[in-house]
Amino acid sequence: MDRLTYTLISDGSSDTTLIHIINWCLRDLYPNLPIDSQYADFNPLQKKPSQGDIQKRIEFASKLYPFDLCIYHRDAEKNERNILDIRTAEVLDKLDDKTRKKVVCIIPIKMMESWLLTDEKAIKFAANNPNGCVQLNLPDIKRIEGLTNPKDLLHGLLTTATENNKRRLKSFNVDRAVHLVAEHTDNFEKLRQLSAFKKFEQELKKAVDALLQLN
């Protein structure tokens, strides 16, 4: 295989942020393998596959965004025993055998934003205040998967990092800033301490290794 092309299918367009994390992971694991990433955007379609028809969504993606590997995103939404296995089964059990071999699940606990809470410098850059003096007090990495609402926490940290007054905050696009956090995070190494990321990376490596052996 000269290069790897993967397509991300997610719950919503805001989760395209995961592409930065996936790219980092693949480049770290396979530094000599060129990577092409794509996001399966079904919104322009007049007849798009329903959110719950996972098999159909992947079939549509394979035609519109041809891939070697499909990475399918679901948020765990909660942190309970075996939640990663439960969410993975909710995806893979709906696929035929041929499709299943090409799919890797990416399932953050509890949601994608939890994986963007590791780099204070990146958050300040995303808030357009890289030299800000405010202390953000990011949660310890070991606590991240137990947070009640990581999305609200990240939004709050970004708002704080701007050091703007209420008037100037009205023009601050926090959703855009979330994407910029991922763009400005150079290293996602800390995520390897999280159970959800560990599982994703293990399954990703297994799938890519299998593809490399076939070629």
Side-chain angles (χ1 to χ4, degrees):
M1 178 181 288
D2 295 328
R3 62 193 311 114
L4 173 72
T5 299
Y6 78 84
T7 296
L8 172 67
I9 301 177
S10 70
D11 290 341
S13 60
S14 63
D15 298 305
T16 56
T17 303
L18 287 168
I19 286 176
H20 296 285
I21 299 175
I22 298 166
N23 286 349
W24 174 86
C25 186
L26 285 167
R27 288 167 183 158
D28 191 64
L29 292 172
Y30 305 95
N32 298 317
L33 179 63
I35 306 295
D36 292 322
S37 58
Q38 305 176 107
Y39 174 69
D41 183 6
F42 301 123
N43 287 326
L45 300 179
Q46 287 187 334
K47 294 183 178 180
K48 53 189 174 184
S50 67
Q51 193 87 355
D53 194 341
I54 297 172
Q55 176 75 34
K56 188 66 70 176
R57 295 184 93 206
I58 295 173
E59 289 174 357
F60 270 57
S62 69
K63 295 175 182 177
L64 297 170
Y65 308 93
F67 55 77
D68 302 303
L69 188 66
C70 174
I71 299 182
Y72 202 96
H73 165 250
R74 285 286 308 276
D75 281 335
E77 298 174 352
K78 59 182 73 174
N79 185 5
E80 61 183 34
R81 188 176 180 182
N82 298 328
I83 188 62
L84 295 175
D85 292 334
I86 292 169
R87 292 287 183 258
T88 300
E90 288 173 354
V91 174
L92 298 184
D93 287 355
K94 294 181 180 179
L95 307 179
D96 61 39
D97 291 341
K98 182 180 178 180
T99 304
R100 193 179 299 119
K101 292 177 182 178
K102 295 184 177 181
V103 176
V104 172
C105 294
I106 185 166
I107 306 172
I109 296 176
K110 296 179 181 179
M111 56 190 70
M112 176 274 295
E113 286 81 3
S114 64
W115 287 4
L116 301 178
L117 291 168
T118 64
D119 191 326
E120 181 168 323
K121 182 179 178 181
I123 292 174
K124 288 184 176 181
F125 264 104
N128 198 30
N129 190 23
N131 299 315
C133 298
V134 64
Q135 290 283 334
L136 296 182
N137 297 317
L138 300 187
D140 185 274
I141 188 68
K142 295 177 181 178
R143 292 183 49 242
I144 282 178
E145 292 188 329
L147 295 172
T148 302
N149 194 325
K151 181 176 181 178
D152 284 352
L153 176 59
L154 179 60
H155 284 195
L157 289 169
L158 283 163
T159 300
T160 299
T162 66
E163 298 186 60
N164 287 343
N165 57 35
K166 289 184 178 180
R167 181 178 61 81
R168 294 186 65 191
L169 278 175
K170 290 180 180 179
S171 62
F172 178 58
N173 187 334
V174 71
D175 293 317
R176 168 63 178 155
V178 169
H179 287 273
L180 293 176
V181 175
E183 287 183 25
H184 287 289
T185 301
D186 296 324
N187 192 320
F188 290 97
E189 179 76 29
K190 290 181 180 179
L191 295 183
R192 288 179 167 146
Q193 300 179 56
L194 302 178
S195 63
F197 188 84
K198 284 181 184 178
K199 182 174 177 62
F200 165 67
E201 187 172 45
Q202 289 168 359
E203 294 303 317
L204 180 66
K205 188 175 188 306
K206 186 188 303 182
V208 176
D209 285 350
L211 286 170
L212 292 174
Q213 290 174 10
L214 289 173
N215 291 267

